[in-house]
Amino acid sequence: LASTALMANRGDEAREQIKLLARVRPPPEVLGDLQGELAASIGDFGAAAREFGQAYAARPSGALAQKEFRARLAGNQPDPAGPLRRWIARSPDDASSRALLAQFTESTGDAAGAERAYVAVLRDDANNLIALNNLAWMRLQQGKHAEALHLAGNAFRVGAASPQVADTYGWALAESGRAKEAVPILRDALTKLPRNPMIRYHLAVALASSGSQDEAITHLELLTSGGAVFAEQQAARELLDKLRAAARG
């Protein structure tokens, strides 16, 4: 009941159920997990990290290590990845936790370390969605389009419902000269994340490459006039100028 209340964002109800549960002295990892979720739901990430850490100490698991990591990261605590490293040392075959650690490593700017970690994860778990998608994106940035398309296609097969995964696959298609195939995939991704400027930019490029210049211009005008800040902002302006010039003849 407490867990159901938490999933439904009914914090007061969850708190009361947790109090009732505590009276019957459940396993400490169960109680700590719920108390951590409750603390995280109200933004008290320091308390959440402590609760998850105590629950982990009572009964170590990858799920609790990941929850403590996310709470420490959200709370800007030092060494947020410590719980993941601790668990991976204990259970090195947990590809999910290793992929999450690789993703964090990438976010710190250690692209080479993250790349090695993603490759290692995929050796053990060929369908790991995080590793497939993120390594595909790295390969795109490196200009290795064939490998990127293979990885992104596998990621899309595993997680087509994710707009981020669809964006990576659509962009890999567009960068591989298959823009017409990319358009419906990117259009669907943008429907799910309409405020994401990178997805809109990727769709505009795919549209322009597949002959739909007018629609591409519409998307580029939205990007360049709406105040959005994103990595390809200058490229979007340049493409818009080029398409406008071509339209004027």
Side-chain angles (χ1 to χ4, degrees), residues 164-180:
Q164 293 89 348
V165 169
D167 176 48
T168 302
Y169 181 46
W171 188 234
L173 285 168
E175 289 284 89
S176 301
R178 296 165 59 179
K180 286 187 177 180

Side-chain angles (χ1 to χ4, degrees), residues 3-242:
S3 181
T4 300
L6 283 167
M7 287 189 288
N9 295 317
R10 299 194 301 268
D12 291 340
E13 180 183 340
R15 188 176 291 104
E16 289 305 312
Q17 294 295 342
I18 290 171
K19 287 180 181 178
L20 291 173
L21 179 64
R23 293 178 185 174
V24 298
R25 297 185 179 181
E29 69 275 12
V30 173
L31 186 60
D33 187 12
L34 287 169
Q35 289 173 328
E37 292 284 3
L38 179 61
S41 73
I42 61 174
D44 190 349
F45 297 110
R50 287 193 299 274
E51 294 289 354
F52 291 137
Q54 290 170 7
Y56 177 94
R59 190 181 182 89
S61 72
L64 286 170
Q66 291 182 25
K67 287 181 179 183
E68 185 183 357
F69 158 71
R70 290 190 173 97
R72 292 177 67 85
L73 186 64
N76 295 314
Q77 295 186 11
D79 191 25
L84 290 177
R85 287 193 293 269
R86 179 179 59 195
W87 169 249
I88 291 168
R90 182 187 185 105
S91 184
D93 60 341
D94 185 344
S96 173
S97 294
R98 286 164 54 203
L100 191 59
L101 179 59
Q103 189 175 37
F104 174 75
T105 301
E106 183 181 0
S107 75
T108 66
D110 184 3
E115 182 176 346
R116 289 192 298 271
Y118 289 137
V119 170
V121 167
L122 291 174
R123 278 199 296 264
D124 295 334
D125 179 9
N127 291 324
N128 187 280
L129 189 57
I130 292 176
L132 284 169
N133 184 71
N134 291 12
L135 187 57
W137 188 256
M138 285 182 150
R139 293 293 184 254
L140 279 170
Q141 292 177 315
Q142 294 163 356
K144 299 177 180 178
H145 296 149
E147 186 179 354
L149 183 58
H150 173 73
L151 291 164
N154 285 342
F156 189 69
R157 173 177 53 80
V158 175
S162 165
Q164 293 89 348
V165 169
D167 176 48
T168 302
Y169 181 46
W171 188 234
L173 285 168
E175 289 284 89
S176 301
R178 296 165 59 179
K180 286 187 177 180
E181 295 174 61
V183 167
I185 294 169
L186 291 168
R187 201 191 302 281
D188 182 64
L190 186 62
T191 299
K192 294 174 180 175
L193 286 179
R195 296 184 180 180
N196 187 299
M198 284 299 291
I199 297 177
R200 190 177 295 279
Y201 171 70
H202 292 160
L203 175 58
V205 172
L207 286 165
S209 298
S210 59
S212 299
Q213 280 79 10
D214 289 345
E215 188 179 352
I217 288 172
T218 298
H219 285 290
L220 291 167
E221 287 176 340
L222 286 172
L223 281 173
T224 56
S225 64
V229 178
F230 59 103
E232 300 293 344
Q233 196 167 45
Q234 184 58 35
R237 291 195 182 98
E238 291 173 0
L239 179 58
L240 177 59
D241 290 342
K242 178 181 177 181

